[in-house]
Amino acid sequence: MIYVRYIRSPPLTSSETAYPEPAAAKAYHVLEHMIVTLELAPASFVTEGALIEKLALGRTPVREAIQRLAWEGLLDVRPRAGIAIAPLHPGDWLRVLDARRGVEVVLARSAARFVTREAADLFHEAALAMQKAVISGNVLAFIQADKALDEALAMAADNPFAARLAAPLQTHSRRFWFRYKADTGLAESAEHHVALIRSILAGDEEAAAKDAKRLMALLRGHAEVAATR
């Protein structure tokens, strides 16, 4: 069942289903999920050895994942002090969304123009998983579905430059949302995401761009409230 797939572990793309995921990629996905869901608490410290032991994937894959997450601003490797998990300052959510808005519109337009059958299937799966997460109130499943949607968007857009720019911003935004809005924001967020998916699958570039802007506006509204707390 799709629902089980999304709550057990970070989602697999169709290519990952056919071919085993490289250890470094798996380490990255697991660590990213732990950071986003605050299992690795903001502003806390952890050692490389502890992460290697926890993930049981070997030193090299975990080290590569740490380096990638550090580049994305989610970790800070401090010699002799350990690895610091990025803090969460509410005001930074606004900065993330200001940087993210333009590239999301680019991706939405491009996805509506170039969406393939394979990407469409991933969009359908993400929408279904998101809707099921809303019904069950499963925030972790919703987070996984949201990431799956972002991955489908990256595939459909056929613009690796925009996708690489968007990915870390999406992760940061997801983390802020999980911290400040997850308890009340499932249904409204799902509605905006599904609207975007429908426009993309319809091949309507203008509608997709508008829906991307509406989604970013919704998130910015949440961020503005969080920043006043």
Side-chain angles (χ1 to χ4, degrees):
M1 293 177 61
I2 295 171
Y3 179 64
V4 174
R5 169 183 163 186
Y6 281 108
I7 63 173
R8 279 172 30 193
S9 62
L12 302 176
T13 65
S14 57
S15 61
E16 290 169 339
T17 302
Y19 303 99
E21 186 177 27
K26 184 175 182 180
Y28 171 82
H29 287 142
V30 174
L31 283 177
E32 182 200 53
H33 181 71
M34 292 169 67
I35 294 169
V36 167
T37 59
L38 312 184
E39 183 176 346
L40 291 174
S44 66
F45 280 82
V46 67
T47 66
E48 181 183 278
L51 294 179
I52 292 170
E53 182 177 355
K54 188 175 185 65
L55 271 62
L57 291 170
R59 180 176 300 275
T60 299
V62 173
R63 184 167 289 175
E64 289 179 10
I66 290 170
Q67 290 172 347
R68 179 176 172 187
L69 289 162
W71 180 84
E72 293 178 351
L74 292 161
L75 299 176
D76 182 14
V77 180
R78 301 179 183 179
R80 297 181 296 280
I83 300 168
I85 311 303
L88 273 176
H89 301 302
D92 286 342
W93 194 5
L94 292 168
R95 297 181 178 92
V96 168
L97 292 170
D98 285 345
R100 183 182 171 191
R101 182 178 183 273
V103 71
E104 289 289 345
V105 173
V106 170
L107 288 171
R109 283 184 177 276
S110 187
R113 187 183 314 134
F114 298 118
V115 65
T116 62
R117 173 67 65 85
E118 183 180 7
D121 288 343
L122 294 178
F123 277 124
H124 283 300
E125 288 185 10
L128 179 60
M130 193 169 282
Q131 290 166 340
K132 287 184 175 181
V134 171
I135 293 170
S136 65
N138 191 321
V139 176
L140 292 179
F142 188 91
I143 284 288
Q144 296 294 357
D146 183 66
K147 181 170 178 60
L149 191 160
D150 288 338
E151 290 175 345
L153 185 64
M155 174 188 287
D158 193 29
N159 186 333
F161 302 100
R164 287 170 187 161
L165 179 62
L169 295 172
Q170 291 164 342
T171 301
H172 280 281
S173 183
R174 196 175 293 116
R175 184 172 182 243
F176 278 108
W177 182 89
F178 185 85
R179 168 62 180 84
Y180 293 107
K181 193 59 183 177
D183 56 339
T184 59
L186 289 184
E188 187 177 30
S189 182
E191 180 181 349
H192 281 68
H193 282 87
V194 172
L196 174 60
I197 290 172
R198 287 175 179 154
S199 294
I200 290 171
L201 296 181
D204 190 332
E205 294 182 41
E206 291 302 319
K210 289 179 181 178
D211 286 327
K213 291 176 183 177
R214 290 190 188 103
L215 176 57
M216 292 300 103
L218 173 70
L219 293 176
R220 201 176 199 289
H222 296 333
E224 288 170 352
V225 172
T228 63
R229 293 180 181 176

